[in-house]
Amino acid sequence: MNGDSRLILPTRRTILKGATGAAALGLVSPFPKPAIAQGAPLKVGFMLPYTGTFAKLGKFIDEAFRLHVEQKGGKLGGRQVAFVQVDDESKPEAATDNMNRLVGREKVDVVVGTVHSGVAMAMVKVARDTNTLLIIPNAGANEATGPACAPNIFRTSFSNWQPAFPMGKVMAEAGHKNIVTITWRYAAGQQMVDSFKENLAQTGSGAKIVEELYLPFPEVEFQSLITRIATLRPDAVFSFFAGGGAVKFVKDYAAAGLKERIPLYGTGFLTDGTIEAQGEAANGIKTTLHYADNLDNPANKAFLEAFKKKTNLDGDVYAVQGYDSAALLDIGLTAVGGDAGARDKMIAAMEGAKIDSPRGPISFSKSHNVVQNIYLREVRNGRNEYVSVAHANLADPARGCRLSA
Amino acid sequence: MDLVSFAVQLLNGVQYGLVLFLVASGLTLVFGILGVINLAHGAFYMLGAYLAYWITARTGSFWAALVGGVAIAFVVGLLLEEIFVKRLYGRDHLAQVLLSFGLILVLDEIRHILFGKDVHSVPAPEFLRGSIQLTEVLSYPVYRLAICVFCLAVAAAIFLVIQKTRIGMIVRAGAENRDMTRALGIRFDVVNRYVFAVGIVLAALGGIVVAPISTVFPGMDNQMLILSFVVVVLGGIGSVAGAAIGALLIGVADSFGKVFMPNFSSFTIYVLMAAVLLWRPNGILGRREI
């Protein structure tokens, strides 16, 4: 039994579990333990999906974070940085062990992760219990910066509430009165539909939701629900799907001839990352997200160029989130001269951070969730092109978070 | 719901059911005749879809993908039978489950190495790209109708071969009483090999045909595997006709379940399965104990 684990893990059972996991990692970890904290490199633990459905997202977040560190000469806040990687495989059941491995055995100074909301919530719990600094570079579960918020937890990506919210106004202003929503029946889908509904009701336009359609997650047999939409004949449809499901939905919707008659709207995840596979079927779809492929600002241009040079790949919203995670950490470390032990001062600096991100200016709310512009985009020629700012500097309401009082 | 919507939903259900039949027929053949539980059946469905994407992207022809995909699946089936599966005949189900589960992992890794993890789409053949206006708002892709016709043709071919040919007679005799058939001098090792390969081809064929309407992506095999087993158990293990009935029931139940009982749509088909099994514990046309 090693002493590292005992400090943070209260029961005998979890010590055993943690130690087994830690032993497994010990074989592959390329980094030696730092002898003394001061002077040694700052240890950043990536807990990201390097395999499985979200592997590409994990890779982009990882690469962009490293890109930022390289641009600062391999340092953040003037201190050398070393990385430890753990593949979370997007498996919530392994999340607690993986997180304990980074915090207990590897003794990282900060954890960056992850994509999957279920995994992220388990990470949030460990981070709260062990007071570990955690930066979430994607997972959108509202709870992470809501009821579960904590001083040591930051999110640089979005809450599910954020990208869906402005769509109510967008669709009401487009003159749509009767709207149907469709998504998977799981937390992210439900939170986005709820947020959209909230905004739609606030517009006072009289626009209403005729029917909310749900599909078991992650089913992709949409045909009967698409027929249902044709029967209901709403003015427009609001949707949230992602990955393979999004591609199939967009193609089925177009193939059923609905796209020209009943315009399709959604959060940006509907068309981001898989737009190539969607082809012409996606043209004309309007979505809201905190990024657009052709955002015309110097930071975005420089970022896309540097990312392309480093990876030979086109950067996207996930890469931007990874890049900004590094920027946020840099601001915190700079304020304390690289001494991650001066936690309170570091957190105060991160809370007050103003970052000139590729997605536009961002800052942080009291609940430590990112405050950002949400853009309206339209798919044109296989790109999510910028149309307008749907909502400037949108902050998550952080319901249930005591920090935001 | 008016009559037109009802008819369209019925069409959706039947079309979905026919695709399920195409995939599940291979599973029930292998199950019924070889007595082998092939958990990797869904992986061959995914393999078919990825082959459709890969060959179409290189040759520009969906027909090349259809022929090439079937040929590759057939050869893979023959090889797997020779190297692995023939050692499983007569062994208990645990050994079969272990081997075929291992095959899932290996096939998925090969898929990852060869094709990566991106989402792909496959264009339908040129002359099937149109759509038919069904109602004022809704149109129906011709390709979906073509799938119905194709699946019906495959079903007819399977029935003809099993009921009307000498090979079919041997297969039926083998399913009925293997030892007696062998005693009559039938070379079962050869028959087994081809039955297994045909089972794999049917799974891959399902993947190829569905590729243009169902996007090609990692994990697409999971759902199909579960549904195939539901169809096979519902219809009666080893019965191709039972699989046809089971598949159509599942397809229609799923379609209407999503619209009429959206809150319960995730288990409509399982409730149906439970109800049918209470009524006929061996499946609708099943004679063998499950």
Side-chain angles (χ1 to χ4, degrees):
Chain A
M1 198 56 52
N2 68 54
D4 313 344
S5 307
R6 207 176 309 142
L7 290 173
I8 49 148
L9 295 163
T11 70
R12 183 177 170 78
R13 203 163 174 200
T14 43
I15 291 173
L16 286 169
K17 276 165 72 183
T20 329
L25 186 84
L27 296 173
V28 291
S29 168
F31 300 103
K33 281 188 182 181
I36 321 161
Q38 285 304 323
L42 180 93
K43 262 188 142 177
V44 175
F46 285 136
M47 183 163 154
L48 291 165
Y50 291 100
T51 58
T53 314
F54 294 134
K56 188 178 163 195
L57 281 60
K59 179 182 154 71
F60 271 47
I61 291 166
D62 178 314
E63 294 276 10
F65 193 103
R66 286 173 195 264
L67 171 66
H68 196 109
V69 175
E70 279 165 27
Q71 287 174 343
K72 303 265 172 178
K75 293 178 182 178
L76 288 179
R79 185 159 164 202
Q80 287 290 340
V81 178
F83 297 102
V84 185
Q85 289 171 305
V86 168
D87 181 7
D88 69 35
E89 301 174 68
S90 299
K91 284 185 181 159
E93 64 272 19
T96 306
D97 279 352
N98 283 332
M99 183 74 175
N100 281 332
R101 196 184 289 177
L102 284 174
V103 177
R105 168 92 179 193
E106 294 292 336
K107 296 195 173 306
V108 296
D109 297 290
V110 54
V111 176
V112 177
T114 187
V115 173
H116 186 283
S117 275
V119 179
M121 288 313 294
M123 295 172 73
V124 163
K125 177 149 194 328
V126 177
R128 287 172 62 103
D129 291 349
T130 60
N131 196 26
T132 304
L133 187 59
L134 171 66
I135 300 178
I136 304 173
N138 186 70
N142 289 346
E143 293 83 356
T145 54
C149 72
N152 53 316
I153 297 169
F154 285 83
R155 174 154 59 190
T156 56
S157 49
F158 60 91
S159 70
N160 286 333
W161 184 91
Q162 280 179 308
F165 185 75
M167 204 33 126
K169 193 177 87 174
V170 168
M171 288 177 74
E173 280 176 0
H176 303 308
K177 293 289 177 208
N178 298 309
I179 295 163
V180 165
T181 66
I182 180 167
T183 184
W184 279 311
R185 187 182 292 284
Y186 76 137
Q190 193 65 58
Q191 290 181 344
M192 287 190 200
V193 167
D194 287 349
S195 162
F196 165 71
K197 263 159 65 178
E198 182 186 337
N199 188 243
L200 193 69
Q202 287 171 9
T203 58
S205 62
K208 64 177 191 299
I209 291 175
V210 191
E211 195 160 307
E212 295 175 29
L213 299 174
Y214 294 97
L215 201 73
F217 177 79
E219 230 187 85
V220 293
E221 187 57 36
F222 300 107
Q223 197 64 22
S224 57
L225 291 183
I226 284 176
T227 305
R228 179 72 188 147
I229 291 172
T231 311
L232 291 166
R233 290 210 211 173
D235 299 324
V237 169
F238 171 82
S239 62
F240 163 68
F241 293 105
V247 179
K248 186 162 190 303
F249 177 73
V250 165
K251 291 185 71 183
D252 284 353
Y253 195 84
L258 294 189
K259 207 180 76 179
E260 287 74 29
R261 295 179 179 83
I262 307 170
L264 183 60
Y265 293 80
T267 49
F269 310 102
L270 188 68
T271 53
D272 252 83
T274 54
I275 199 162
E276 202 180 320
Q278 300 185 1
E280 282 180 21
N283 274 339
I285 295 177
K286 290 198 176 92
T287 59
T288 40
L289 198 70
H290 47 288
Y291 187 65
D293 290 341
N294 61 338
L295 273 188
D296 191 16
N297 68 55
N300 191 36
K301 280 179 188 153
F303 167 73
L304 288 177
E305 196 177 310
F307 191 80
K308 180 100 183 172
K309 201 172 157 204
K310 175 175 162 63
T311 63
N312 212 16
L313 295 164
D314 291 316
D316 61 7
V317 62
Y318 306 108
V320 170
Q321 290 165 183
Y323 191 73
D324 290 343
S325 300
L328 176 64
L329 186 58
D330 183 48
I331 287 171
L333 284 168
T334 305
V336 293
D339 177 16
R343 178 68 70 79
D344 291 347
K345 199 175 165 196
M346 189 172 160
I347 283 175
M350 288 166 76
E351 209 175 272
K354 301 263 182 288
I355 300 170
D356 183 22
S357 161
R359 68 183 110 163
I362 60 172
S363 57
F364 290 84
S365 57
K366 279 271 187 278
S367 64
H368 293 178
N369 188 57
V370 61
V371 177
Q372 57 192 339
N373 293 338
I374 302 293
Y375 303 101
L376 176 65
R377 308 107 43 90
E378 183 176 343
V379 179
R380 292 176 195 140
N381 308 315
R383 275 162 65 91
N384 287 298
E385 295 201 348
Y386 169 85
V387 175
S388 62
V389 176
H391 202 304
N393 298 319
L394 184 63
D396 181 88
R399 292 178 185 120
C401 173
R402 294 207 202 116
L403 291 174
S404 55
Chain B
M1 182 183 284
D2 59 288
L3 202 62
V4 177
S5 310
F6 183 84
V8 177
Q9 291 294 13
L10 191 65
L11 177 63
N12 289 335
V14 169
Q15 185 259 317
Y16 186 37
L18 284 169
V19 171
L20 288 179
F21 166 73
L22 185 59
V23 179
S25 62
L27 186 65
T28 207
L29 271 181
V30 171
F31 216 172
I33 293 166
L34 307 182
V36 170
I37 296 179
N38 183 14
L39 284 187
H41 198 71
F44 292 105
Y45 165 80
M46 179 172 75
L47 179 77
Y50 269 93
L51 284 174
Y53 150 70
W54 190 72
I55 299 175
T56 311
R58 260 145 202 82
T59 63
S61 159
F62 183 75
W63 306 111
L66 194 63
V67 175
V70 165
I72 292 172
F74 190 69
V75 172
V76 169
L78 289 180
L79 288 175
L80 284 176
E81 203 278 344
E82 175 63 31
I83 301 169
F84 299 112
V85 179
K86 73 174 181 187
R87 289 163 222 282
L88 290 178
Y89 302 139
R91 302 274 292 269
D92 65 17
H93 287 329
L94 182 62
Q96 302 171 351
V97 166
L98 277 177
L99 177 87
S100 52
F101 184 70
L103 273 180
I104 294 180
L105 301 179
V106 172
L107 285 168
D108 201 54
E109 200 56 36
I110 291 175
R111 187 268 311 151
H112 180 189
I113 293 166
L114 291 181
F115 306 114
K117 42 202 162 199
D118 282 341
V119 180
H120 298 289
S121 64
V122 178
E126 197 80 49
F127 74 99
L128 294 175
R129 277 184 205 165
S131 55
I132 298 165
Q133 201 68 31
L134 285 184
T135 68
E136 205 177 314
V137 186
L138 185 72
S139 47
Y140 207 77
V142 173
Y143 188 77
R144 280 183 183 268
L145 295 175
I147 287 182
C148 293
V149 175
F150 182 82
C151 290
L152 286 171
V154 172
I158 295 175
F159 282 117
L160 279 178
V161 169
I162 290 184
Q163 299 298 336
K164 301 285 179 199
T165 66
R166 187 177 154 73
I167 298 170
M169 202 161 69
I170 295 172
V171 166
R172 272 181 296 147
E176 202 73 34
N177 190 332
R178 178 177 305 238
D179 294 332
M180 183 55 78
T181 318
R182 195 178 279 135
L184 291 172
I186 304 292
R187 289 197 53 201
F188 243 103
D189 47 345
V190 179
V191 175
N192 284 347
R193 186 167 307 156
Y194 285 104
V195 168
F196 185 79
V198 167
I200 300 304
V201 163
L202 286 170
L205 201 53
I208 296 168
V209 169
V210 164
I213 53 164
S214 163
T215 309
V216 180
F217 59 98
M220 65 183 294
D221 50 330
N222 299 337
Q223 187 116 31
M224 192 46 98
L225 176 69
I226 295 167
L227 286 171
S228 301
F229 269 101
V230 171
V231 165
V232 168
V233 171
L234 192 64
I237 292 172
S239 165
V240 176
I245 296 170
L248 287 174
L249 273 178
I250 296 286
V252 172
D254 185 76
S255 258
F256 284 104
K258 274 182 188 144
V259 178
F260 286 123
M261 297 176 288
N263 288 324
F264 307 105
S265 60
S266 55
F267 49 86
T268 324
I269 58 170
Y270 303 104
V271 171
L272 174 71
M273 180 169 82
V276 169
L277 290 182
L278 278 175
W279 166 54
R280 291 187 74 92
N282 296 337
I284 296 171
L285 295 182
R287 283 178 295 160
R288 192 182 297 199
E289 292 293 325
I290 295 168

